[in-house]
Amino acid sequence: MNLLFVTSEVHPLVKTGGLADVSRSLPMALHALGENVCLLVPGYREVLAHSDASTVILTEFPYGLLPAPARLLETTLPGSGLPVWVLDCPELFDRAGGPYQDNNGKDWSDNALRFASFCKAAAWLVQGHATPWAIDLVHCNDWQTALVPALLKFWDCPTPSVLTIHNLAFQGNFDAAMVEVLDLPGKEFHPGSLEFYGQLSFLKAGIVHADGITTVSPRYAREIQTPQMGCGFDGLLRHRASVLSGILNGIDELWNPATDVMLPHCYSIVRKSGKAMNKAHLQHKLGLPENPDVFLVGMVSRLTWQKGIDLVLDALDDLLDDASVQFVVLGSGDAEMERRLVHWNSRLPDRVRITLGFHEALSHEIIAGSDLFLMPSRFEPCGLAQMYAMTYGTPPLVHHTGGLADTVSPYLPGKSSRTQSGTGFVFEHAHTYDFSECFRMALACFRDPPAWKKVVHNAMKKDFRWNIAAQEYVALYNRLLPQWPELPE
Ligand code: ADP
């Protein structure tokens, strides 16, 4: 089948989080199953910078469809061979800054126009304009692409659509006046279509109009149907429950400690010795005392309330009271959280190292070199970093929520090494006290080498490859494709 996978970020062209990783690895897994997949991404400056001699111009978009001149480019996703279509509309996308925010962390004021235009371009292609082959199904991801299913319905295009919700908290809600500015049909601005409490909501439009809806773990699919975790959409999601499913993300082949080109020392479940060398390398690189016996605790994360960074900050006095703990963080986000973390760096410079910013290679080195990986998210649709950490023999400490609960088996103190099935450390309630208690349990386990070795081994044994999940997506696509009547013999 011919699939168009529409996404606002894809590794290694542009990445702010897990969506970029999934947008590379899921299409690759679908391709490995024999599907014909093409990606569509906005032509941000960093995406255009990847274009090379193999990039070709496929078509120009018609005057009036988009607010400024735009072309469709075709290139290849580095390291994958997958075709990528790029919406090259410089006025909307070719600018310094991130995909969604400027360099000061402020949302672009024209985000509604940018992503509505991206959706219009996608829907126009799905209609069959200018494409070398007919698109059988379009797979959209998050609010930035969620107008596509709605536009297809408004334009009477029968091609089925799937919307994957990677994070329900990001909804793309804008002032009602944008309906007219974006040239959307005014009669669709009501609570059964585009309207969410008086605003235009891209994500709601997608949830209402997509033929299939998925989210990225089975538990999160249940959680978002509750008032506590539904971000105002729980009623609508319950209404659409018959087409909503949770398919757990897999992890990309780039995240394999046996072959990871970003690590100074590769290792695997049968040759674990390289892990200790990565720990020494990380300590050296970050200017911390090189000591194999300290408990090196790492974090790589967006620094936001969702990720529970404040729980960690509130517990740090307590955690770092033990002189054998080193703490390293890579992340960026909330200015106050960044300030508090940096303060710890100056307070304990030989035990704490905070690196602000986005660094792909350092993220691999921290996940490989740490003993414990912290991911105490308040909510977590799936989470990839905890799966990377387990694969790299770095047991994660997580809150029992969403994809974290679906992927991490809790360590149970008191069990013998033989019966211990834990792959990480899990706390029940998102409170500093529970988090600290869980941390103490992890530290006690680390000081009991046979118990620690077993948890590390269990974690590395887990199989997070994409093949099963990709088959679930193919089964879903097949259910949505028009069924042709059997021809008589
Ligand atoms: P989310 O998508 O909610 O941010 P995930 O755990 O699903 O969380 O994915 C996060 C991805 O982004 C992982 O690949 C993680 O390693 C990466 N990441 C997060 N922050 C940084 C950073 N500052 N530098 C490099 N990689 C980062």
Side-chain angles (χ1 to χ4, degrees):
M1 111 188 56
N2 296 325
L3 298 166
L4 183 65
F5 192 90
V6 188
T7 180
S8 58
E9 50 184 278
V10 58
H11 180 77
L13 302 182
V14 52
K15 170 170 171 175
T16 70
L19 172 61
D21 290 356
V22 172
S23 297
R24 180 189 129 92
S25 50
L26 173 56
M28 283 180 71
L30 293 168
H31 179 73
L33 292 176
E35 307 304 341
N36 181 21
V37 195
C38 180
L39 286 93
L40 177 69
V41 295
Y44 311 113
R45 185 163 293 179
E46 49 196 315
V47 171
L48 297 178
H50 273 86
S51 53
D52 55 21
S54 67
T55 305
V56 293
I57 302 168
L58 282 190
T59 191
E60 308 235 335
F61 286 92
Y63 180 79
L65 178 72
L66 306 179
R71 310 179 297 177
L72 183 68
L73 310 180
E74 183 174 78
T75 182
T76 307
L77 188 67
S80 77
L82 288 179
V84 181
W85 290 345
V86 177
L87 170 60
D88 178 26
C89 183
E91 187 159 321
L92 298 179
F93 299 114
D94 183 6
R95 50 178 82 161
Y100 320 121
Q101 296 178 331
D102 64 20
N103 282 329
N104 298 318
K106 203 167 159 293
D107 283 355
W108 294 112
S109 60
D110 58 350
N111 268 347
L113 184 63
R114 295 169 78 230
F115 291 104
S117 303
F118 183 49
C119 291
K120 282 187 185 176
W124 186 77
L125 293 168
V126 174
Q127 279 187 314
H129 300 289
T131 56
W133 30 262
I135 294 165
D136 297 318
L137 184 141
V138 57
H139 188 151
C140 307
N141 296 277
D142 276 349
W143 75 264
Q144 293 88 346
T145 65
L147 276 186
V148 176
L151 291 169
L152 293 176
K153 291 276 154 39
F154 303 161
W155 296 353
D156 288 326
C157 175
T159 309
S161 60
V162 169
L163 172 69
T164 295
I165 302 169
H166 297 263
N167 194 333
L168 190 69
F170 299 112
Q171 305 181 338
N173 297 336
F174 300 97
D175 195 282
M178 291 310 291
V179 174
E180 199 177 330
V181 176
L182 302 176
D183 200 19
L184 295 168
K187 66 178 172 34
E188 292 292 337
F189 190 67
H190 59 81
S193 187
L194 300 177
E195 183 191 345
F196 182 56
Y197 293 106
Q199 288 195 297
L200 163 66
S201 174
F202 281 37
L203 189 62
K204 177 165 182 181
I207 295 174
V208 169
H209 293 286
D211 299 295
I213 306 167
T214 68
T215 187
V216 286
S217 69
R219 188 180 164 106
Y220 191 62
R222 296 192 298 275
E223 288 174 347
I224 57 178
Q225 295 179 56
T226 66
Q228 295 79 14
M229 299 186 72
C231 302
F233 284 156
D234 49 293
L236 173 61
L237 288 162
R238 286 195 299 276
H239 176 66
R240 301 239 60 209
S242 62
V243 298
L244 168 66
S245 56
I247 303 178
L248 191 69
N249 281 335
I251 68 173
D252 197 293
E253 58 184 26
L254 291 172
W255 287 91
N256 177 353
T259 52
D260 189 337
V261 290
M262 298 198 187
L263 294 187
H265 308 281
C266 287
Y267 59 99
S268 67
I269 189 162
V270 288
R271 280 175 70 94
K272 296 197 185 78
S273 57
K275 177 148 177 73
M277 295 196 269
N278 282 295
K279 178 173 177 177
H281 164 84
L282 182 64
Q283 289 170 323
H284 178 76
K285 178 167 180 165
L286 296 179
L288 296 170
E290 275 174 62
N291 180 347
D293 299 323
V294 301
F295 191 40
L296 179 47
V297 179
M299 265 189 111
V300 178
S301 181
R302 290 187 288 116
L303 302 177
T304 62
W305 181 87
Q306 177 202 338
K307 298 292 179 179
I309 308 298
D310 51 318
L311 300 180
V312 179
L313 279 162
D314 292 347
L316 268 185
D317 242 331
D318 196 21
L319 267 50
L320 292 168
D321 196 36
D322 188 314
S324 73
V325 175
Q326 287 177 346
F327 180 53
V328 302
V329 178
L330 167 63
S332 63
D334 181 276
E336 175 63 7
M337 290 178 186
E338 289 187 355
R339 191 195 60 73
R340 288 179 68 190
L341 282 168
V342 169
H343 174 69
W344 273 99
N345 200 135
S346 0
R347 211 168 130 187
L348 293 176
D350 58 342
R351 308 227 342 259
V352 176
R353 191 61 74 247
I354 309 298
T355 308
L356 298 180
F358 201 93
H359 304 282
E360 190 68 24
L362 183 58
S363 74
H364 286 240
E365 290 167 317
I366 290 179
I367 288 174
S370 303
D371 294 305
L372 181 76
F373 187 79
L374 299 186
M375 198 152 166
S377 309
R378 284 201 166 74
F379 67 94
E380 193 57 77
C382 176
L384 295 172
Q386 86 282 5
M387 293 197 265
Y388 300 152
M390 284 183 272
T391 306
Y392 282 60
T394 308
L397 185 161
V398 302
H399 174 215
H400 186 74
T401 186
L404 298 175
D406 279 346
T407 53
V408 182
S409 317
Y411 167 77
L412 299 172
K415 284 227 167 195
S416 72
S417 294
R418 203 172 47 77
T419 55
Q420 180 61 254
S421 59
T423 62
F425 304 88
V426 183
F427 63 99
E428 197 62 35
H429 303 291
H431 300 308
T432 302
Y433 177 79
D434 276 28
F435 168 74
S436 297
E437 285 296 298
C438 189
F439 183 84
R440 252 183 269 286
M441 176 168 71
L443 182 56
C445 178
F446 181 71
R447 295 208 171 121
D448 176 358
W452 186 258
K453 263 173 102 170
K454 184 68 189 333
V455 180
V456 169
H457 191 78
N458 290 344
M460 292 185 87
K461 246 179 35 199
K462 281 240 176 184
D463 180 1
F464 294 117
R465 279 173 304 172
W466 261 109
N467 39 355
I468 309 269
Q471 283 171 25
E472 286 185 54
Y473 277 106
V474 172
L476 168 67
Y477 301 152
N478 279 322
R479 283 200 298 278
L480 297 177
L481 289 179
Q483 307 296 319
W484 302 108
E486 298 241 333
L487 291 174
E489 291 281 313

